[in-house]
């Protein structure tokens, strides 16, 4: 199965498992994802510290719950202590978390580009295993077999790419290390610009994902046009969001003085 057909296959599978009368659910989910993406594109950089504190607080509460069960501690004190610790770490170490997120974002984008440019053929051959093109039949692995285990699948995919792509493993680790370290340095040295970059990237990614899903579900005839023009549109939206978030997080505002002339508020 070609990799470009995978999103369509996933959407078709989703449609088949939706009960009659609930066809609006996937479109509503796409709308919700698009709304979240727009929030990130407009206010993501300013909301980043709050989101980091909430995320770390949620992780802390989960860790506190696990600690209460594992070490037979009082549940509510352990939950409250874990939540408080997570919130404190989210606030105090925000710049570190931001740098890690920016590094992960750059690494993911670089791996995506590498996969699109280099790995498409080997991925297609791996995904086509068990496909009878003449009779249009697919042989699925038995549920009890090791092939149905996701860890076994990932291991098989890694081995397949390593055998069919020259210097695959070295290239992957080099991309992850170089872009990850560059993102860490970027996030630590230029935190406000890094916040704008992260917000624009996450927001644009969510919006593009929602748009692709909505077009596939509601307007499938326009899917080809979206494939050709979507990258250009996404790049334009990302640049606009990056600039807007950077200006917003720096606190640059235009205000009028007593004489009516416009002045730029200090950053």
């Amino acid at each position: 199965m070609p990799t470009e057909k995978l999103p369509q296959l996933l959407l078709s599978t989703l449609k088949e498992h939706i009960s009659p009368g609930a066809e609006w659910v996937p479109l509503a989910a796409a709308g919700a994802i698009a709304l979240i993406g727009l929030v990130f594109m407009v206010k993501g950089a300013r909301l980043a510290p709050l989101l980091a504190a909430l995320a770390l607080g949620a992780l802390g509460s989960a860790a506190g719950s696990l600690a209460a069960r594992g070490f037979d501690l009082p549940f509510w004190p352990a939950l409250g202590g874990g939540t408080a610790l997570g919130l404190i770490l989210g606030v105090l170490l925000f710049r570190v978390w931001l740098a890690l997120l920016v590094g992960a974002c750059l690494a993911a984008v670089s791996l995506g580009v590498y996969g699109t440019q280099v790995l498409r053929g080997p991925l297609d051959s791996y995904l086509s295993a068990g496909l009878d093109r003449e009779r249009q039949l697919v042989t699925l692995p038995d549920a009890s077999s090791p092939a149905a285990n996701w860890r076994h699948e990932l291991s098989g995919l890694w081995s397949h790419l390593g055998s069919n792509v020259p210097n695959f493993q070295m290239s992957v680790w080099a991309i992850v290390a170089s872009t990850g370290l560059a993102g860490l340095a970027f996030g630590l040295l230029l935190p406000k610009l890094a916040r704008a970059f992260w917000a624009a990237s996450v927001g644009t990614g969510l919006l593009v994902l929602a748009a692709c899903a909505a077009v596939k579900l509601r307007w499938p005839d326009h899917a080809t046009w979206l494939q050709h023009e979507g990258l250009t549109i996404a790049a334009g939206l990302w640049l606009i969001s990056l600039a807007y978030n950077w200006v917003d997080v720096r606190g640059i505002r235009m205000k009028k003085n007593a004489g009516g002339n416009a002045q730029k508020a200090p950053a």
Side-chain angles (χ1 to χ4, degrees), residues 50-147:
L50 175 62
L51 294 175
L54 292 176
L56 268 295
L59 289 177
S61 64
S65 176
L66 292 175
R69 296 176 182 176
F71 298 98
D72 198 19
L73 300 175
F75 178 76
W76 291 111
L79 183 67
T83 304
L85 180 61
L87 290 172
I88 292 172
L89 291 177
V91 173
L92 295 180
L93 301 179
F94 167 69
R95 183 174 290 190
V96 176
W97 305 129
L98 177 66
L100 290 174
L101 287 173
V102 171
C105 184
L106 285 177
V109 171
S110 301
L111 287 176
V113 173
Y114 175 69
T116 302
Q117 299 295 325
V118 179
L119 304 181
R120 175 170 292 184
L123 282 174
D124 287 346
S125 64
Y126 182 81
L127 293 173
S128 299
L131 174 62
D132 188 340
R133 297 183 182 276
E134 295 182 358
R135 295 186 296 172
Q136 294 296 304
L137 296 176
V138 179
T139 303
L140 298 176
D142 183 72
S144 60
S145 67

Side-chain angles (χ1 to χ4, degrees), residues 10 31 86 145 170 185 225 241 247 264-265:
L10 294 175
S145 67
M170 183 180 297
W225 177 86
S241 176
V247 169
K264 185 175 75 171

Side-chain angles (χ1 to χ4, degrees), residues 126 153-163 168-169 172-173:
Y126 182 81
E153 283 293 324
L154 287 179
S155 177
L157 176 60
W158 182 266
S159 300
H160 174 80
L161 294 177
S163 302
F168 166 71
Q169 297 178 354
V172 168
W173 293 123

Side-chain angles (χ1 to χ4, degrees), residues 175-188:
I175 290 172
V176 171
S178 59
T179 56
L181 290 175
L184 283 173
F186 176 41
L188 291 173

